Amino acid sequence: MKPLSLIIIPLLVSSALGGEAGKFVSAPGGEVRVYKGEGDKAREIEIYFPEDHDPASKAVPGIIMFHGGGWGGGDRQQFRNLCHYFSTRGLVAATVTYQLAPKAGSDEIKELKEGESRKRVCIVDAKSAIRWFKEHAEELGIDPQTIIAGGGSAGGHISLLATTNPGLNDPSDPVEHDTSVAAYLLFNPALSAGDATDSEVDFLQHLTADLAPAIVFFGSEDKWLKNGWEAASAKLSDLDLDDSVNVRIADGQDHGFFNRQPWADVTLIEADGFLRELGYLEGEPTLALPETGERFGDGN
């Protein structure tokens, strides 16, 4: 297989895109595939390959990222910058479109049973995307045992449930491929006490001692840090996972800070170091820390 996205260009660090996307650091597009469905219901995965990547001769770790947007909004361009960067570091990285949660008053909401969360549909698609990634591992040149998953805000929540909850499977998915992953890149994951009413979307009910290593980024002023992550942090401690789940706090920053420069580069450098410690990357980051002094504090 020869990837369509062969041209690797320098990272664009601050160009704003329009509307909601203006919050994101811009980057070149990847190769778009359909992982599920067709026509108007097609779900797409956008893949970034290392330059001169030869799937026939080398299998590398893969990254699969899920965008935020409150479960009912957002799009995959949020993680184009991250995917492009890690492709230049030798990994195959992908950013995913998934079915958005239905809006209040919609027919889909009315069809939910009492206690069921609208977030369910997002997790079903995320599981399908991970299975597709593994199913096509040989073609893509990735090691299916070394998949790193993650996302931002709602996408962080979705990635955690898609990889720990045995339920919410699409019956058309290839069951021979599970959705377990080797590590997580989590950007202000939106975990909520309200999820407890539906066990299928409540991460705490699926958090066990075999959770893969993770790096977690939060702004100190992010409401999700106290309102959602605090309970997860307590359970992580109970399970003796403090050493494998690394929390990084950006002092004075709010929700979504990692989408903007200079924090976009700072988070990538930290994530790069985390993956190097796991043995998934070699060499030093190709980004430099900002001269303005932005750095992370340890939240563990």
Side-chain angles (χ1 to χ4, degrees):
M1 182 201 75
K2 196 167 184 66
L4 297 180
S5 53
L6 293 175
I7 300 175
I8 302 296
I9 67 176
L11 185 66
L12 303 178
V13 295
S14 60
S15 300
L17 308 176
E20 176 71 14
K23 298 178 180 178
F24 308 146
V25 174
S26 66
E31 177 184 337
V32 177
R33 306 273 194 96
V34 172
Y35 71 85
K36 179 178 178 179
E38 58 185 16
D40 293 340
K41 294 185 178 180
R43 308 281 185 261
E44 294 179 339
I45 181 169
E46 188 169 352
I47 310 170
Y48 291 72
F49 296 94
E51 189 173 14
D52 299 325
H53 179 57
D54 181 5
S57 63
K58 185 178 182 181
V60 301
I63 296 177
I64 185 165
M65 299 296 295
F66 299 92
H67 66 79
W71 296 272
D75 60 62
R76 66 176 184 263
Q77 63 188 303
Q78 180 178 29
F79 285 110
R80 280 177 174 166
N81 180 47
L82 180 149
C83 289
H84 174 256
Y85 172 73
F86 281 116
S87 74
T88 69
R89 293 282 283 126
L91 308 186
V92 173
T95 173
V96 175
T97 297
Y98 54 86
Q99 182 176 350
L100 300 177
K103 305 294 185 184
S106 66
D107 290 339
E108 293 89 343
I109 286 287
K110 295 174 184 177
E111 292 172 1
L112 291 174
K113 298 177 182 177
E114 185 177 356
E116 288 186 344
S117 170
R118 71 189 188 100
K119 303 172 185 178
R120 286 170 165 241
V121 295
C122 308
I123 297 164
V124 173
D125 272 4
K127 297 187 80 168
S128 296
I130 294 168
R131 286 193 166 105
W132 184 94
F133 210 40
K134 289 188 174 185
E135 182 182 21
H136 292 81
E138 184 175 356
E139 175 190 353
L140 300 173
I142 59 176
D143 176 2
Q145 301 304 313
T146 315
I147 304 296
I148 301 122
S153 192
H157 166 266
I158 291 164
S159 69
L160 286 167
L161 268 297
T163 53
T164 59
N165 178 7
L168 295 181
N169 297 291
D170 188 320
S172 64
D173 282 353
V175 295
E176 64 271 23
H177 301 286
D178 67 17
T179 61
S180 63
V181 294
Y184 295 97
L185 302 178
L186 301 171
F187 300 82
N188 46 248
L191 306 180
S192 170
D195 289 339
T197 60
D198 184 350
S199 63
E200 298 282 24
V201 305
D202 184 12
F203 174 58
L204 293 186
Q205 297 186 48
H206 300 282
L207 173 55
T208 59
D210 61 353
L211 183 75
I215 188 165
V216 186
F217 301 101
F218 273 107
S220 64
E221 307 309 304
D222 186 348
K223 67 177 183 179
W224 289 102
L225 176 60
K226 180 175 177 58
N227 297 345
W229 184 254
E230 198 170 75
S233 181
K235 188 165 183 179
L236 289 168
S237 293
D238 291 342
L239 295 171
D240 293 325
L241 290 172
D242 289 331
D243 291 339
S244 63
V245 178
N246 305 277
V247 181
R248 298 288 182 265
I249 304 297
D251 188 46
Q253 298 301 305
D254 57 11
H255 196 65
F257 72 97
F258 65 91
N259 292 314
R260 307 180 294 269
Q261 291 293 13
W263 285 105
D265 283 356
V266 178
T267 53
L268 284 178
I269 292 168
E270 287 283 327
D272 189 302
F274 169 70
L275 296 180
R276 278 183 289 131
E277 289 179 2
L278 293 177
Y280 300 153
L281 284 177
E282 296 179 354
E284 295 299 313
T286 54
L287 296 170
L289 287 168
E291 295 181 359
T292 44
E294 286 81 359
R295 303 289 188 275
F296 280 106
D298 189 344
N300 288 334

